[in-house]
Amino acid sequence: MLLLRSHHLLLPHAARLLARRAPPLPRAAARLRPLRMSASNHSSAGASSPSAPSAPPPPAVPKSRIPFCPACGSPTKLAVPDGDEKMRAVCSSCGRVHYENPKMVVGCLVEHDNKVLLCRRKIEPAYGLWTLPAGYLEVGESAAEGASRETLEEACADVEIVSPFAQLDIPLIGQSYIIFRARMKTPSFSPGSESLECELFALDDIPFDSLAFSSIIVTLRMYIEDVKAGNIKFHYCTINKRIGAGPSDLRSFDIDNHLAV
């Protein structure tokens, strides 16, 4: 009992000693609060006026797709040349202006026994999806020559061009397609180095859920409508992605300026 009483008497005395030795809490530290990323953040709980709103993010600086001058190799800068109204890639050394132009894609809609020839892609983008044999036009060849070459490369099919069928402009990605109707000189085809397989599809069996590009979807829809109407025409249109749709969203697009002659 005496021992317990002595400890009981010492406890208040020890607490007073600790209180005297402990340094006082700084006033500034007592006001610290976790920072919150909001425009209406207050500096402390007792503040009577809000802090200044955060500054808006700086505008995105456009970058040229031609970072170096093809003529002299010096870095380019984006500027509006005299007499122009758009930003261009201008060489910082020799002053040459370099323009970014759309790319031309050419291909064939190959007809055989009321079917069309499709290739399943072995390369990205759209690996494993079906497409018409098509690709970029090379320097030194006509559009028809390029379309025949692409068909030979992707489907090992030697074709004869019948007529132009469609021109499709896609401003969002800077491409313009020219698709030709064609027929095989001999009924022979096989997958080329960029194709997993090639197959002739009846019009009712075309795998629209597995087509690779919006341009191919539009081309085949137009072709089927023409065949069913008994009048195959030449088509021109613009393919525009809908607001909010990404470039990889193949089916969120509108067809504008459609002409059929």
Side-chain angles (χ1 to χ4, degrees):
M1 291 296 293
L2 293 175
L3 183 60
L4 290 175
R5 286 176 183 173
S6 62
H7 278 284
H8 177 72
L9 294 173
L10 286 174
L11 285 175
H13 179 67
R16 287 194 296 271
L17 288 175
L18 290 173
R20 284 199 298 268
R21 291 176 182 176
L25 184 65
R27 297 176 62 85
R31 294 196 299 268
L32 290 179
R33 296 289 186 273
L35 293 178
R36 295 179 181 177
M37 302 301 294
S38 65
S40 58
N41 180 47
H42 292 263
S43 60
S44 68
S48 59
S49 61
S51 61
S54 58
V61 178
K63 295 182 179 180
S64 172
R65 296 180 184 177
I66 309 176
F68 298 99
C69 176
C72 70
S74 300
T76 63
K77 60 181 180 180
L78 283 175
V80 179
D82 293 339
D84 205 335
E85 57 185 19
K86 293 184 178 180
M87 299 284 280
R88 309 290 186 184
V90 181
C91 180
S92 59
S93 179
C94 69
R96 296 193 184 190
V97 180
H98 302 285
Y99 299 90
E100 298 178 41
N101 303 114
K103 293 185 177 181
M104 180 67 70
V105 181
V106 291
C108 285
L109 196 163
V110 182
E111 305 164 310
H112 184 76
D113 288 341
N114 299 318
K115 298 179 180 180
V116 295
L117 180 64
L118 298 181
C119 304
R120 196 157 73 90
R121 290 176 62 83
K122 192 178 179 179
I123 59 174
E124 294 291 355
Y127 179 93
L129 299 182
W130 293 92
T131 182
L132 295 172
Y136 290 116
L137 183 66
E138 298 281 358
V139 174
E141 63 185 4
S142 68
E145 290 170 343
S148 299
R149 172 185 53 76
E150 287 289 342
T151 305
L152 185 62
E153 291 176 356
E154 296 184 7
C156 299
D158 189 11
V159 298
E160 177 185 0
I161 299 295
V162 175
S163 65
F165 174 71
Q167 179 177 350
L168 312 142
D169 291 335
I170 313 179
L172 178 68
I173 57 176
Q175 290 183 355
S176 184
Y177 279 70
I178 295 181
I179 304 296
F180 294 88
R181 291 173 59 208
R183 57 172 170 255
M184 289 185 283
K185 295 179 180 179
T186 58
S188 174
F189 60 90
S190 61
S193 60
E194 297 182 356
S195 302
L196 293 168
E197 58 181 313
C198 300
E199 186 175 339
L200 287 168
F201 286 88
L203 299 189
D204 291 336
D205 296 331
I206 291 174
F208 276 96
D209 290 338
S210 302
L211 294 181
F213 306 110
S214 58
S215 55
I216 305 305
I217 295 171
V218 172
T219 297
L220 290 172
R221 283 178 179 171
M222 291 176 173
Y223 179 73
I224 290 173
E225 289 179 3
D226 284 1
V227 171
K228 290 183 177 180
N231 183 18
I232 297 181
K233 303 175 181 179
F234 173 76
H235 297 265
Y236 168 80
C237 71
T238 301
I239 299 176
N240 289 316
K241 293 289 184 180
R242 294 174 187 160
I243 296 175
S248 60
D249 190 344
L250 299 181
R251 285 158 179 79
S252 292
F253 59 83
D254 294 308
I255 304 300
D256 298 321
N257 309 313
H258 182 201
L259 301 174
V261 294

